[in-house]
Amino acid sequence: MANVEEVIWAQEEPKNNGYWSFVEPFIEQCLAEAGVKPQRPRYAGRAAAASPATGLMKRHTAEQGALVAEALGHNVREEIRRTRKA
């Protein structure tokens, strides 16, 4: 992993409902022990929320497209616009 430039944790659940809170410190520890450039993983997913679902399919689809775009390094705003037009 000597050439790793970025570590991204992607999850479909809201930030406070998935495994992000549990795995983040372990990923950081592994990165530190490996001595690689990134010292912290980046989160790609939904914002923290009281409910695991938005309740609106249109909003869910836009959020899903945005989190996948973010995880892949694409422009999130363009992805949201694209899903709203579709």
Side-chain angles (χ1 to χ4, degrees):
M1 287 186 16
N3 296 325
V4 69
E5 294 182 14
E6 186 174 29
V7 175
I8 302 167
W9 176 268
Q11 73 178 27
E12 187 175 15
E13 300 85 6
K15 193 171 189 177
N16 58 325
N17 291 0
Y19 282 99
W20 170 248
S21 300
F22 177 77
V23 300
E24 181 187 18
F26 294 111
I27 296 172
E28 283 186 27
Q29 181 180 355
C30 290
L31 293 172
E33 290 174 5
V36 294
K37 180 181 174 182
Q39 292 299 304
R40 300 194 73 194
R42 185 169 62 84
Y43 174 81
R46 290 181 165 80
S51 173
T54 66
L56 298 170
M57 187 59 171
K58 188 174 183 177
R59 183 176 212 172
H60 171 80
T61 303
E63 287 181 1
Q64 184 73 16
L67 78 87
V68 170
E70 182 180 3
L72 297 175
H74 298 169
N75 187 311
V76 175
R77 290 180 192 264
E78 286 180 19
E79 182 61 28
I80 290 171
R81 285 188 198 113
R82 188 185 70 75
T83 57
R84 285 185 179 162
K85 289 179 182 177

